Amino acid sequence: YNIVMRSWARKGCLQRINQLFSMLESVGLRPSLDSYAAALECMGRNQSSTKAVWRCVQQLKNDGFHVDELFQKCLFEEDEKEKVLRAIRIVQPNYQLPPPPKPQTCKSSLLQDFYSKEKMVPYPKLDFTVQELQERFQQQLEMELDNTVTIESVESTKPLTPQAIKARKLLATLRSQWHDSILQALQKSKHSMSKLKTVSGYNILYPYLCLMPDEEYVGIMLQILNTLSPQGESLAVLARELGSKIYNRYITQRKLRSRQLEKVQEVYEEYIHLLAKDRQPDTYLPREYWEKLVAEAGFGPSLNLKDCSWPYMLLMRLGMHMLELLVQAVKVPRNILNPRLEPRLIPVLYHVYSFHSSWQVGLIKPHPIFSQIVSDAAETLLTFNSSAIPMLCPPVPWTSPDFGAFVLNDTKLMRFVVGAIQHQLLLEQCPLVNLHPVLDALNQLGNCAWKINQPVLDIIISIFNDKGNEKLDIPPPISEAPRPPAAPSNSSTSNKSQKHELLLCKKKTAEMHSLRMDALYKLSIANYVRDKVFWFPHNMDFRGRTYPCPPYFNHLGNDVTRAILLFAEGKPLGPKGLDWLKIHLINLTGLKKKNALQERLEYANEIMEEILDSADHPLTGRKWWMNTDEPWQALACCMEIAKASRSPDPAAYISHFPVHQDGSCNGLQHYAALGRDLIGAMSVNLMPCSVPQDVYSVVAQQVEEFRKRDAEQGVKIAQVLQGFVSRKVVKQTVMTVVYGVTRYGGRLQMEKRLKEIDEFPEEYLWEASHYLVKQVFNGIKEMFSATRDIQNWLTESAKLIAQSGRTVEWVTPLGLPIVQPYYRSRSTVGRGASGQQAKARQVGITCGKPDTVKQKNAFPPNFIHSLDSTHMMLTALHCLRQGLTFVSVHDCYWTHALTVDVMNQICRQQFVALHSEKILQDLSEFMLEKYCRAPMLICFPSGSSSPGRETRALWQKKLMEQLSNVPKTGKFNLKKVMDSTYFFS
């Protein structure tokens, strides 16, 4: 009813608003603050009598509100604020807007120094003037206003064949026809919806199809058609994408109409003074400075939009309707490629079904004729949503869960989990001051400026356009896919092996197309920004793990993507920078993992001839770089070492190259620190040692000891496994134990590794993998006793909470509230526009009761991930205070070669600070308060009949005992971490 009120207020319909107020009173409901704002806005527009305004203001006060709250809490668009203020001044002529609330300071014990005003240092400047940043902002704004960006593909350099020219002309003609037929179909469906007098799932979409000109919807549908894979796409994925595109376009237009963009632009133009090199340094953080400017401009919370989110199922239904229109309207003559066929029109798109296990999944698949025309046309233009391109100016700082990142594109702080909204509600209920550390860490990651390593990009593009190279992770084109076997003349003679071979060919072709398109998108976007400086705004998942918002091209990508990224800011190498570049190179090769850092450096010096040859002749020399674990990053590093070592003074050489420090079995490090596990801490490099400890080799040795013992006692499978127990065989299982892998999952991992060994007898695969996973779990239990105790405590606690009908929640040491979004799903059904085509189609999920198994199994890994992200954010914030460039790929931290040592020190300090908190005790206390001491909300074990009070009391007692029984800790001294040489691998 607030939406109705505001629409009436805009039209000055005071009588209707008064009727609504009376209606609310008659049923005992109190009007909201937004309702009063709408009423007063209407009175301001109508210049109502003093008596009417006075009565409204008195009623507002009687309902427990204050006039000031109208301007502190309500979101205003266009001229709404001015009209409310005009109404108030009818009865209070001297009324002044309330002063902005005083900024609150985060009280986290982990960040007392960070937020201390006495220890505040000026925010680091970018190498741009105010005018340059303003120009970049205008470029970004134009890109977002268009909603899409069309760029040249990296394949555009290929010569155009006569066949391609002919196919492109044909496509242009067809698209023109399809545009008209889709427009007619849309208008026809809207007309039929408008005639229906009863509300149904069909005509409920009508208002959403009238928000923009029809041409906008048609353009979005054609865009989807142009990007459809020959193998087809999931109905649910396409529906969600179409619905989201319409929503994003609507939001852009609404931000323009409501003057919200005007306000953002005004604030941003002042905000860049904090970042520009030609302005005085300031001691504000980006979030603080933005909030200060918003308060000074008097905008309050009005930079957000009112009631703009659309429900997930509405997006899906809208997308489904668009797909139905495409299927109905888009047709092609059957004889367009073969004149001998009859000239009837056939649909370009088809609904087909595929079975994934027992699930029937709907797909939209293009007709082979359409795929052939698109393939022949070999078009070189790619169209992306503007949010898929890195930002051309520094991101808007995050100031709340709903505001930050892009200028116009709607972005959530926490990534959307299909069908679940609990995490968003938790964030909105959380006091904003508690989220300041998380917001500030995301802003720090997003403010890192990047540029392209052009020589490496050019080499990669040349190989991409020359049939690719699977060994170097450059996917070949579809033309290189294996050809399916020729069909026999008599189909009855077709045998099983031929059908299987055909299936494998189809699967391989689909995989190749997917990989090729992924590489094409990444390389084309990189090529588009090759001469630009750009930024990656960040957000996070429900565990607090951070991700760049642009999905295709970013530093979380594969070896190829990372190799073409450089910091835009350069720093001199300093006395040890060149050494760190060399050590980094050896780390990238995968060699010398067990060797000391000094030995890695010496090895790099020994092979300098190979390094320089790789840099000078990457494709024509001895190609040493190609035989490394991360070949493209190794090549980029070789080039940087060559340039630095040949410069007159390597210490003064300005390097833009990111040097990585990778966590050493990160999950087990957190477990060892949580449990103060001395043996575990030694195994994962939390203690000082002369060479890095390799936990995988240690577990492999222990498993080998168990195997020898059993072999001597005559156990057949232990004898068969002689010579086959290695680090490689156990590594994946050891690594994933910490993230909750089950014995079943571990057995499959072992089986896969043993299959890779040609000499291992195939008939023993099941028995051997079963035996090995048991021994690995036993080995880890002996080595990491505290780890298993903590894992078991977390698992059992989550099981009892989920069985009582609740989801598992916790709060990270930085104050981020987390809820696990795992529920028992039930399929939902979308129906098409036509009654004749009203086939049920599965399009998504809705939330039911918590999924006990997922809640239980996922809690230990998710909890550790949340600690890992907390440690990363603490490191990011303290690196900011030291003036370091810092970005992360989860537990892999990047900085300049000059500042690697400083970052290492900060990282260790923050690890010790984090684990000096009472993490498990605080978790226990939080859960006891939430699940046991709060009002009785506990249900009963899933699957049981409704219990009486006695059963509930017993259940609650069991949960309380479990949560109170925090695992005991060992005697490891956390301060030893400060002296650990190999905290990073």
Side-chain angles (χ1 to χ4, degrees):
Y1 82 91
N2 279 338
I3 296 170
V4 174
M5 283 248 197
R6 277 201 298 274
S7 113
W8 286 346
R10 180 61 52 92
K11 294 169 185 169
C13 305
L14 187 57
Q15 189 178 353
R16 289 191 171 187
I17 288 176
N18 286 334
Q19 286 171 351
L20 236 176
F21 265 74
S22 301
M23 236 171 65
L24 287 169
E25 285 174 14
S26 68
V27 293
L29 290 177
R30 188 182 77 163
S32 68
L33 197 62
D34 277 323
S35 303
Y36 282 111
L40 288 165
E41 179 201 333
C42 194
M43 291 174 178
R45 287 188 193 284
N46 295 342
Q47 300 209 357
S48 297
S49 67
T50 306
K51 188 177 178 182
V53 179
W54 183 85
R55 196 164 52 240
C56 184
V57 170
Q58 282 304 116
Q59 191 177 341
L60 175 144
K61 290 176 179 176
N62 292 340
D63 278 339
F65 299 118
H66 193 281
V67 171
D68 286 353
E69 289 181 274
L70 290 166
F71 303 99
Q72 290 167 334
K73 295 179 180 177
C74 292
L75 305 181
F76 294 116
E77 296 178 9
E78 297 185 35
D79 62 346
E80 293 171 352
K81 184 178 179 181
E82 289 77 11
K83 300 305 177 191
V84 174
L85 189 58
R86 179 195 282 180
I88 299 294
R89 284 179 176 162
I90 291 172
V91 293
Q92 298 179 31
N94 298 322
Y95 177 80
Q96 294 298 315
L97 288 171
K102 288 184 179 178
Q104 292 180 286
T105 304
C106 175
K107 302 296 182 190
S108 168
S109 58
L110 288 165
L111 290 165
Q112 283 174 343
D113 287 349
F114 180 79
Y115 286 111
S116 163
K117 293 297 175 189
E118 294 76 35
K119 298 186 179 180
M120 199 74 86
V121 296
Y123 193 77
K125 298 288 184 183
L126 295 169
D127 192 24
F128 297 106
T129 63
V130 166
Q131 186 180 345
E132 287 169 336
L133 287 175
Q134 283 174 344
E135 288 168 2
R136 281 165 167 73
F137 173 75
Q138 287 304 320
Q139 291 170 14
Q140 178 65 27
L141 184 55
E142 286 167 20
M143 187 165 75
E144 291 190 42
L145 281 170
D146 289 339
N147 268 109
T148 58
V149 183
T150 299
I151 68 176
E152 281 280 359
S153 148
V154 291
E155 293 181 322
S156 61
T157 54
K158 291 180 178 178
L160 202 56
T161 64
Q163 184 187 25
I165 294 169
K166 184 181 175 185
R168 287 184 189 184
K169 284 181 182 174
L170 180 57
L171 259 185
T173 305
L174 287 171
R175 281 171 182 155
S176 176
Q177 293 168 2
W178 294 338
H179 173 279
D180 296 342
S181 56
I182 294 170
L183 184 60
Q184 286 174 14
L186 175 65
Q187 290 169 343
K188 185 181 175 185
S189 77
K190 283 172 68 177
H191 181 72
S192 64
M193 285 179 185
S194 66
K195 296 293 179 189
L196 291 174
K197 292 180 181 174
T198 56
V199 176
S200 69
Y202 173 53
N203 70 349
I204 200 170
L205 299 178
Y206 181 66
Y208 297 92
L209 296 175
C210 298
L211 291 171
M212 300 181 292
D214 291 344
E215 291 284 347
E216 295 274 6
Y217 298 93
V218 175
I220 288 169
M221 284 187 267
L222 281 171
Q223 191 185 333
I224 285 286
L225 184 64
N226 292 339
T227 57
L228 194 60
S229 155
Q231 283 73 41
E233 183 58 88
S234 154
L235 197 66
V237 169
L238 280 178
R240 187 165 69 243
E241 191 178 345
L242 269 166
S244 299
K245 281 180 183 289
I246 293 165
Y247 170 75
N248 290 335
R249 190 70 184 151
Y250 161 70
I251 288 297
T252 300
Q253 295 189 359
R254 187 169 163 188
K255 284 180 179 178
L256 285 170
R257 284 198 310 270
S258 67
R259 289 173 50 201
Q260 196 240 26
L261 174 59
E262 225 175 274
K263 295 172 182 175
V264 169
Q265 193 163 358
E266 186 182 322
V267 176
Y268 193 93
E269 285 175 358
E270 289 300 315
Y271 165 69
I272 52 182
H273 289 171
L274 176 72
L275 310 175
K277 65 181 178 182
D278 59 343
R279 286 298 184 268
Q280 289 299 313
D282 255 314
T283 54
Y284 290 96
L285 293 164
R287 172 190 53 79
E288 294 171 338
Y289 198 63
W290 186 277
E291 287 170 345
K292 169 181 174 287
L293 294 171
V294 169
E296 287 172 356
F299 294 150
S302 66
L303 290 186
N304 290 334
L305 287 179
K306 292 181 284 192
D307 303 310
C308 65
S309 291
W310 293 358
Y312 169 72
M313 282 313 298
L314 171 63
L315 293 174
M316 293 299 289
R317 281 188 173 187
L318 198 54
M320 286 290 291
H321 182 63
M322 299 287 113
L323 286 174
E324 285 290 346
L325 292 178
L326 280 171
V327 170
Q328 288 171 22
V330 181
K331 301 197 174 181
V332 66
R334 187 167 176 254
N335 68 338
I336 200 162
L337 295 181
N338 185 355
R340 287 176 296 179
L341 297 172
E342 59 180 305
R344 65 185 173 88
L345 289 174
I346 56 171
V348 166
L349 300 178
Y350 288 87
H351 288 306
V352 295
Y353 294 94
S354 172
F355 282 91
H356 289 213
S357 296
S358 58
W359 289 87
Q360 183 175 316
V361 178
L363 298 173
I364 293 286
K365 205 167 183 182
H367 194 282
I369 288 175
F370 172 66
S371 298
Q372 186 62 54
I373 296 169
V374 170
S375 175
D376 291 345
E379 291 182 305
T380 58
L381 290 179
L382 298 171
T383 300
F384 297 98
N385 288 343
S386 55
S387 57
I389 306 293
M391 286 188 74
L392 305 178
C393 67
V396 173
W398 284 106
T399 55
S400 78
D402 297 303
F403 186 82
F406 293 99
V407 180
L408 274 174
N409 290 320
D410 205 39
T411 314
K412 293 292 185 191
L413 178 71
M414 199 167 269
R415 294 186 165 216
F416 181 72
V417 179
V418 173
I421 57 166
Q422 284 79 355
H423 55 277
Q424 186 64 25
L425 295 175
L426 267 186
L427 286 175
E428 287 167 3
Q429 291 161 9
C430 180
L432 200 51
V433 68
N434 292 4
L435 295 176
H436 283 174
V438 171
L439 299 176
D440 292 335
L442 286 168
N443 292 336
Q444 177 58 10
L445 297 172
N447 270 351
C448 176
W450 299 88
K451 69 175 187 175
I452 293 295
N453 189 335
Q454 293 186 18
V456 177
L457 176 61
D458 289 337
I459 294 168
I460 292 169
I461 290 174
S462 71
I463 293 176
F464 181 85
N465 283 333
D466 185 28
K467 298 190 176 179
N469 184 319
E470 289 193 77
K471 183 191 170 189
L472 295 176
D473 207 15
I474 311 289
I478 299 297
S479 58
E480 301 300 302
R483 297 286 173 214
S489 53
N490 183 358
S491 59
S492 61
T493 62
S494 176
N495 56 37
K496 261 188 181 179
S497 66
Q498 284 175 317
K499 285 182 179 177
H500 182 65
E501 196 179 338
L502 181 63
L503 201 64
L504 287 177
C505 281
K506 284 185 176 179
K507 187 182 176 188
K508 179 68 175 173
T509 303
E511 285 171 1
M512 285 177 67
H513 179 269
S514 176
L515 291 169
R516 181 74 176 182
M517 293 308 292
D518 179 62
L520 178 69
Y521 290 170
K522 286 175 178 171
L523 294 177
S524 298
I525 293 171
N527 200 46
Y528 174 69
V529 295
R530 67 183 298 132
D531 299 312
K532 299 176 172 71
V533 171
F534 50 90
W535 287 261
F536 296 122
H538 280 61
N539 63 1
M540 59 187 174
D541 66 14
F542 74 93
R543 303 164 299 185
R545 294 198 110 186
T546 59
Y547 301 84
C549 298
Y552 303 113
F553 174 66
N554 58 60
H555 61 286
L556 257 71
N558 60 4
D559 173 49
V560 174
T561 317
R562 294 184 191 187
I564 52 184
L565 281 167
L566 295 171
F567 292 136
E569 181 188 10
K571 289 190 178 179
L573 284 179
K576 292 180 67 179
L578 184 54
D579 287 351
W580 272 118
L581 282 174
K582 291 174 181 178
I583 291 168
H584 175 55
L585 173 63
I586 302 309
N587 289 345
L588 290 168
T589 65
L591 307 166
K592 310 293 177 184
K593 284 185 177 178
K594 299 178 188 178
N595 294 64
L597 290 177
Q598 185 58 36
E599 290 171 351
R600 297 181 207 181
L601 177 59
E602 288 166 4
Y603 178 68
N605 288 325
E606 286 171 21
I607 60 165
M608 271 302 286
E609 196 179 322
E610 296 289 359
I611 293 170
L612 296 175
D613 176 70
S614 293
D616 297 337
H617 312 288
L619 300 180
T620 57
R622 294 190 293 274
K623 305 175 189 175
W624 169 84
W625 64 276
M626 289 189 182
N627 298 310
T628 60
D629 278 5
E630 309 282 356
W632 289 108
Q633 290 176 83
L635 174 61
C637 197
C638 287
M639 291 178 167
E640 188 73 0
I641 290 168
K643 284 186 274 188
S645 59
R646 288 165 175 166
S647 66
D649 178 9
Y653 172 79
I654 302 298
S655 176
H656 297 260
F657 198 84
V659 174
H660 313 171
Q661 297 284 275
D662 213 342
S664 177
C665 207
N666 206 251
L668 282 171
Q669 284 183 331
H670 283 291
Y671 269 124
L674 280 173
R676 302 294 192 273
D677 186 341
L678 188 59
I679 297 172
M682 288 174 66
S683 304
V684 289
N685 295 301
L686 294 184
M687 300 270 282
C689 51
S690 56
V691 292
Q693 300 301 299
D694 181 32
V695 66
Y696 310 117
S697 296
V698 175
V699 172
Q701 287 167 12
Q702 198 154 22
V703 170
E704 176 61 11
E705 291 299 318
F706 295 154
R707 188 206 64 77
K708 279 182 184 173
R709 183 193 62 200
D710 290 345
E712 287 166 6
Q713 292 174 3
V715 177
K716 172 70 174 171
I717 195 61
Q719 294 168 346
V720 170
L721 277 164
Q722 183 173 349
F724 294 109
V725 177
S726 65
R727 179 186 189 273
K728 187 177 179 181
V729 168
V730 304
K731 180 181 176 181
Q732 189 183 8
T733 306
V734 174
M735 191 191 298
T736 51
V737 158
V738 67
Y739 297 123
V741 76
T742 59
R743 294 206 175 202
Y744 173 76
R747 192 201 69 74
L748 292 176
Q749 291 169 347
M750 293 289 186
E751 185 176 66
K752 194 174 178 183
R753 296 289 82 82
L754 290 172
K755 267 184 185 175
E756 291 168 0
I757 305 171
D758 294 337
E759 298 80 20
F760 190 80
E762 196 173 330
E763 65 272 20
Y764 288 106
L765 276 174
W766 189 91
E767 195 180 350
S769 56
H770 191 272
Y771 173 84
L772 281 177
V773 77
K774 181 183 172 186
Q775 303 310 333
V776 167
F777 272 62
N778 288 340
I780 291 173
K781 194 172 181 179
E782 281 192 21
M783 282 178 65
F784 297 92
S785 54
T787 294
R788 297 304 293 180
D789 290 345
I790 294 168
Q791 254 189 340
N792 291 339
W793 179 71
L794 293 170
T795 302
E796 189 60 28
S797 299
K799 177 181 157 189
L800 290 172
I801 290 166
Q803 284 180 337
S804 70
R806 311 283 296 276
T807 50
V808 179
E809 292 181 31
W810 68 98
V811 177
T812 72
L814 273 188
L816 179 68
I818 293 176
V819 56
Q820 292 195 145
Y822 308 123
Y823 303 89
R824 287 190 222 153
S825 62
R826 56 178 184 268
S827 62
T828 57
V829 172
R831 291 182 183 272
S834 165
Q836 296 156 343
Q837 292 183 342
K839 295 178 183 176
R841 295 184 179 95
Q842 181 196 328
V843 296
I845 61 162
T846 55
C847 296
K849 292 180 180 178
D851 184 319
T852 308
V853 174
K854 281 188 180 176
Q855 290 283 343
K856 168 180 77 82
N857 290 341
F859 184 34
N862 284 340
F863 182 69
I864 293 299
H865 278 311
S866 74
L867 286 185
D868 201 25
S869 78
T870 299
H871 175 227
M872 184 279 293
M873 288 179 180
L874 286 169
T875 305
L877 293 173
H878 285 86
C879 282
L880 160 62
R881 283 286 178 255
Q882 299 277 346
L884 274 65
T885 300
F886 174 90
V887 290
S888 82
V889 179
H890 303 318
D891 62 344
C892 179
Y893 299 166
W894 299 17
T895 192
H896 286 92
L898 173 70
T899 51
V900 171
D901 288 309
V902 184
M903 186 188 72
N904 277 336
Q905 188 72 4
I906 293 169
C907 184
R908 287 166 172 75
Q909 286 169 352
Q910 296 315 307
F911 187 87
V912 172
L914 171 62
H915 283 285
S916 296
E917 300 283 297
K918 305 188 303 294
I919 294 173
L920 293 179
Q921 289 83 346
D922 289 347
L923 176 66
S924 167
E925 190 58 36
F926 171 84
M927 289 183 153
L928 283 166
E929 188 64 37
K930 179 161 191 69
Y931 299 109
C932 299
R933 295 177 193 144
M936 179 76 81
L937 288 169
I938 221 158
C939 305
F940 45 85
S942 47
S944 68
S945 57
S946 182
R949 284 187 182 178
E950 193 176 335
T951 309
R952 286 173 184 259
L954 284 170
W955 191 256
Q956 194 153 4
K957 183 184 175 188
K958 185 178 179 183
L959 181 59
M960 190 176 283
E961 284 174 359
Q962 170 62 27
L963 294 176
S964 303
N965 191 22
V966 181
K968 293 183 173 59
T969 56
K971 297 184 179 179
F972 169 59
N973 181 357
L974 265 180
K975 290 181 181 175
K976 294 281 187 186
V977 172
M978 293 307 302
D979 301 317
S980 163
T981 318
Y982 299 101
F983 183 80
F984 291 108
S985 59

